[in-house]
């Protein structure tokens, strides 16, 4: 699945200087490696003594589901963030005692395999995950609220994502084009499309449907 493209695709970490108690990444289990860049968040509950600093977020051709949970209050919110096509300054995110953050970072080409809809409206978007993932958040809610570590949250997420995986949705033309982009990053769109017996417009429509971004954004 995916032709091993994830092994050759190495995006920048969106906020590379945030590693530590406030931010940590762990890799997915091997079966999820073609689809998920990493799981990220806080490894333990916030002490209430620190807040996440603001910083530069760089485009990484990935999409995230972010959960913010307060087990003591029994509350959890979620947001799905589509591909961003420009760098931006993330704002400071205050942390309340007892809260934790948990994120799932998908490769852009893989979100459609788990989503209820295509990615045509995902570019630079942010909203409730239910718009794309139905009742995923509500199904995970109780397990996440009772979890203790980032590793436990990863295992919960992978179990629920496995039930949603529809591998047949993967588009061969999109994956072949992505492989070609990695091999020849500066290939012209018309040549990229011609190699697949498609028009440039057809290839753009496929990329918007399956990745949320046109081919030129993947080449940047």
């Amino acid at each position: 699945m995916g032709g091993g493209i994830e092994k050759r695709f190495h995006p920048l970490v969106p906020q590379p200087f945030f590693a530590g108690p406030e931010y940590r990444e762990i890799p997915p289990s091997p079966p999820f490696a073609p689809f998920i860049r990493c799981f990220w968040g806080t490894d333990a509950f916030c002490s209430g003594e620190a807040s996440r600093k603001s910083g530069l977020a760089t485009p990484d051709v990935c999409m995230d589901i972010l959960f913010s949970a307060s087990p003591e209050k029994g509350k959890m919110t979620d947001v799905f963030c589509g591909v961003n096509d420009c760098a931006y300054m993330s704002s400071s995110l205050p942390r309340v005692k007892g809260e934790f953050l948990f994120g799932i970072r998908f490769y852009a080409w893989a979100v459609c395999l788990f989503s209820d809809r295509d990615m045509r409206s995902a570019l630079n978007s942010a909203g409730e995950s239910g718009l794309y993932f139905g009742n995923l958040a509500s199904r995970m809610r109780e397990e996440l609220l009772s979890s203790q570590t980032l590793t436990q949250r990863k295992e919960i997420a992978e179990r629920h994502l496995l039930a949603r995986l529809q591998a047949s949705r993967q588009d061969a033309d999109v994956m072949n084009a992505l492989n070609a982009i990695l091999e020849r990053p500066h290939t012209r769109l018309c040549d990229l499309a011609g190699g697949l017996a498609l028009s440039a417009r057809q290839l753009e429509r496929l990329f918007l449907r399956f990745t949320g971004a046109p081919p030129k954004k993947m080449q940047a």
Side-chain angles (χ1 to χ4, degrees), residues 24-214:
R24 193 167 75 91
E25 294 182 358
I26 55 176
S29 300
F32 285 91
F35 317 120
I36 295 175
R37 170 73 175 83
C38 67
F39 295 92
W40 60 273
T42 51
D43 197 40
F45 297 111
C46 177
S47 66
E49 298 175 352
S51 61
R52 191 177 178 189
K53 300 177 182 179
S54 61
L56 181 67
T58 56
D60 62 355
V61 196
C62 292
M63 306 190 202
D64 294 76
I65 304 177
L66 171 62
F67 301 91
S68 178
S70 177
E72 292 181 1
K73 297 180 180 179
K75 294 182 178 180
M76 186 178 79
T77 59
D78 59 275
V79 62
F80 172 64
C81 300
V83 169
N84 283 288
D85 62 0
C86 59
Y88 63 93
M89 290 299 295
S90 66
S91 60
S92 177
L93 183 59
R95 302 274 303 288
V96 179
K97 185 176 181 179
E99 283 190 350
F100 68 80
L101 300 176
F102 174 60
I104 307 170
R105 180 162 296 141
F106 298 89
Y107 293 113
W109 62 79
V111 180
C112 62
L113 308 184
F114 301 92
S115 174
D116 295 329
R117 58 182 293 182
D118 65 44
M119 298 291 109
R120 278 176 283 197
S121 300
L123 184 64
N124 296 318
S125 68
E128 289 188 3
S129 67
L131 182 63
Y132 288 90
F133 298 92
N135 61 2
L136 176 66
S138 61
R139 286 181 175 273
M140 294 172 58
R141 175 187 173 88
E142 294 304 319
E143 291 179 89
L144 287 179
L145 286 174
S146 56
S147 66
Q148 300 294 315
T149 67
L150 186 58
T151 298
Q152 287 179 354
R153 291 161 205 147
K154 164 197 155 179
E155 293 170 350
I156 292 166
E158 288 185 338
R159 186 167 65 252
H160 285 273
L161 288 171
L162 181 61
R164 294 186 61 86
L165 176 60
Q166 298 186 58
S168 61
R169 287 184 176 178
Q170 190 170 76
D171 185 83
D173 287 328
V174 170
M175 298 308 296
N176 287 333
L178 285 169
N179 273 294
I181 287 172
L182 286 175
E183 292 174 2
R184 300 180 299 277
H186 303 296
T187 302
R188 295 185 304 170
L189 178 59
C190 60
D191 293 333
L192 191 64
L196 300 168
L198 298 172
S199 69
R201 184 59 186 147
Q202 285 176 317
L203 186 59
E204 282 194 339
R205 285 199 295 265
L206 283 174
F207 264 71
L208 289 172
R209 180 182 175 189
F210 287 98
T211 73

Side-chain angles (χ1 to χ4, degrees), residues 5-20:
I5 188 172
E6 77 285 351
K7 297 177 181 178
R8 296 180 291 126
F9 179 75
H10 304 290
L12 294 173
V13 176
Q15 293 166 323
F17 304 110
F18 280 14

